[in-house]
């Protein structure tokens, strides 16, 4: 068998495999999504996401410090208001004393520049109808009226200390409207993490519990259809033209082809969000003894990195960062 190609030579030992690894996974690549809920004195477990909590302000600070010490690249904060504080236009989203803006101030004060503080710039947690924007009289989401609310929300989040604003609502023109408003307000250093390709997905289910969503119906008139691939590039190009500093693909694991397409074309860093349903599936299968938990988590994250993500949002960020230390 002389002359045979033998690629296995470079797989023979852990040292050889490490030497020739084409993709790396480091704590700096990971961002931890966090939930802060109004009215809590203690953190509250999320039933469909074992190991993930709605935080009180105190536990939010503690969890943030743990993540920073572990070396995670950033924190993405979502606010969970009390049901009675929601309204049709999500007023608390732009209120400096709303739960999300208070949480952003707490993170900014606690971790400073030791990590990147990111904000979810979307109305869905704050509206009594659960949609990501303002509704017109016929019940449709009014794109342009929603942009006005996003601008107000973005300015409040920048004032609260957010380094990056996560434009997740999938409204046309959202990045440009927010960029213009930030610049006009002198917030030229506040960046935009644009959810360039965000698909309507069945895998968001556990997230609805995490944010105590009021949504009835679905978001298919503004989130992308899972059948469409080229459309993601159109959305990417629009967000880049409007001033996005980082672009995101969401979900991650069911859209690795989209992630690769975006990574091949993007001129800015690319993020991907390993969403709640992805987390819960692996967690449940591991709890039943069907898969190796640690191995599945690391393999899933490596797959997302290999597909082109510079940054991965994952609920395992702190735990994995400890493993990688």
């Amino acid at each position: 068998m002389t002359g045979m190609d033998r690629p296995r030579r470079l797989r023979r030992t852990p040292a050889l495999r490490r030497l020739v690894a084409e993709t790396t996974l480091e704590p700096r690549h990971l961002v931890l999504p966090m939930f802060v809920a109004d009215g809590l004195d203690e953190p509250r477990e999320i039933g469909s996401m074992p190991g993930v909590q709605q935080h009180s302000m105190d536990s939010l600070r503690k969890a943030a410090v743990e993540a920073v010490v572990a070396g995670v690249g950033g924190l993405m904060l979502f606010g969970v208001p009390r049901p009675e504080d929601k309204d049709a236009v999500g007023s608390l989203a732009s209120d400096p004393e709303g739960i999300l803006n208070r949480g952003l101030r707490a993170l900014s004060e606690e971790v400073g520049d030791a990590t990147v503080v990111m904000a979810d710039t979307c109305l869905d947690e704050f509206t009594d109808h659960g949609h990501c924007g303002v509704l017109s009289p016929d019940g449709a989401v009014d794109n342009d009226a929603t942009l006005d609310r996003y601008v107000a929300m973005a300015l409040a989040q920048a004032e609260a200390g957010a380094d990056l604003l996560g434009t997740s609502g999938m409204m046309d023109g959202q990045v440009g409207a927010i960029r213009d408003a930030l610049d006009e307000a002198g917030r030229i250093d506040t960046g935009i993490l644009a959810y360039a390709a965000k698909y309507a997905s069945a895998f968001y289910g556990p997230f609805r519990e995490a944010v105590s969503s009021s949504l009835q119906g679905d978001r298919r008139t503004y989130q992308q259809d899972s059948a469409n691939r080229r459309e993601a590039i159109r959305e990417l190009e629009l967000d880049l033209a409007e001033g996005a500093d980082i672009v995101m693909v969401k979900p991650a694991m069911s859209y690795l082809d989209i992630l690769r397409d975006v990574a091949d074309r993007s001129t800015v860093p690319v993020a991907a969000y390993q969403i709640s349903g992805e987390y819960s599936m692996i967690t449940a299968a591991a709890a039943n003894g069907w898969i190796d938990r640690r191995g599945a988590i690391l393999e899933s994250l490596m797959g997302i990195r290999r597909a082109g993500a510079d940054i991965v949002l994952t609920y395992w960020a702190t735990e994995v960062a400890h493993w990688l230390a």
Side-chain angles (χ1 to χ4, degrees):
M1 302 297 291
T2 58
M4 179 187 293
D5 285 340
R6 295 186 182 274
R8 284 183 56 191
R9 291 191 188 107
L10 298 183
R11 306 172 196 153
R12 186 172 56 83
T13 67
L16 277 166
R17 292 193 294 273
R18 183 174 64 249
L19 178 67
V20 300
E22 300 173 25
T23 305
T24 61
L25 181 64
E26 303 171 31
R28 69 181 181 87
H29 296 137
L30 307 176
V31 170
L32 177 66
M34 307 180 79
F35 305 98
V36 61
D38 208 355
L40 293 187
D41 294 323
E42 299 290 337
R44 179 165 56 205
E45 292 293 327
I46 299 167
S48 57
M49 299 179 69
V52 180
Q53 301 172 323
Q54 290 180 342
H55 284 290
S56 66
M57 204 63 71
D58 287 341
S59 70
L60 177 73
R61 289 176 177 269
K62 292 176 183 177
V65 170
E66 181 186 1
V68 170
V69 171
V72 301
L75 309 171
M76 171 64 80
L77 189 61
F78 297 85
V80 185
R82 293 173 296 192
E84 60 269 26
D85 291 334
K86 298 181 181 184
D87 62 23
V89 297
S91 298
L92 277 187
S94 53
D95 186 334
E97 295 308 312
I99 183 58
L100 179 51
N101 293 320
R102 285 191 282 128
L104 289 169
R105 285 199 299 274
L107 289 182
S108 183
E109 292 167 1
E110 192 68 39
V111 302
D113 293 331
T115 196
V116 180
V117 176
M118 309 176 186
D120 177 51
T121 311
C122 193
L123 291 173
D124 56 314
E125 292 100 85
F126 298 92
T127 56
D128 53 14
H129 46 74
H131 278 286
C132 298
V134 178
L135 300 185
S136 60
D138 64 0
V141 175
D142 185 325
N143 190 96
D144 294 1
T146 297
L147 295 184
D148 292 337
R149 293 293 300 126
Y150 284 179
V151 163
M153 190 177 188
L155 293 174
Q157 291 175 343
E159 180 67 25
D163 299 304
L164 290 173
L165 307 183
T167 53
S168 62
M170 290 302 289
M171 296 296 123
D172 296 337
Q174 61 186 13
V175 173
I178 289 173
R179 183 71 271 158
D180 288 347
L182 289 171
D183 291 351
E184 186 175 341
R187 296 285 181 181
I188 60 173
D189 291 330
T190 302
I192 296 177
L193 168 58
Y195 287 54
K198 182 179 180 180
Y199 284 82
S201 174
F203 295 107
Y204 295 139
F207 183 87
R208 307 279 191 254
E209 179 187 354
V211 297
S212 302
S213 175
S214 302
L215 180 66
Q216 296 186 12
D218 59 51
R219 298 176 175 142
R220 296 184 182 277
T221 63
Y222 43 102
Q223 294 177 353
Q224 288 179 247
D225 191 312
S226 60
N228 292 353
R229 184 172 181 175
R230 291 190 300 269
E231 183 182 42
I233 300 307
R234 183 183 183 192
E235 292 281 6
L236 166 69
E237 291 173 348
L238 288 168
D239 283 354
L240 291 175
E242 291 174 22
D245 298 286
I246 301 173
V247 293
M248 176 106 87
V249 174
K250 181 181 180 181
M253 290 175 63
S254 295
Y255 295 87
L256 295 180
D257 59 328
I258 307 300
L259 177 56
R260 183 71 266 165
D261 288 346
V262 168
D264 285 343
R265 291 165 174 79
S266 179
T267 56
V268 301
V270 176
Y273 198 144
Q274 186 180 53
I275 63 170
S276 59
E278 299 168 36
Y279 172 93
S280 296
M281 285 191 300
I282 292 175
T283 299
N288 278 282
W290 298 335
I291 59 174
D292 173 67
R293 180 178 180 274
R294 179 166 173 158
I297 292 170
L298 290 173
E299 184 177 339
S300 69
L301 292 171
M302 190 64 78
I304 296 166
R305 286 274 296 131
R306 189 184 64 244
D310 303 296
I311 301 160
V312 184
L313 278 70
T314 175
Y315 299 99
W316 286 302
T318 302
E319 183 178 10
V320 171
H322 284 302
W323 295 348
L324 299 175

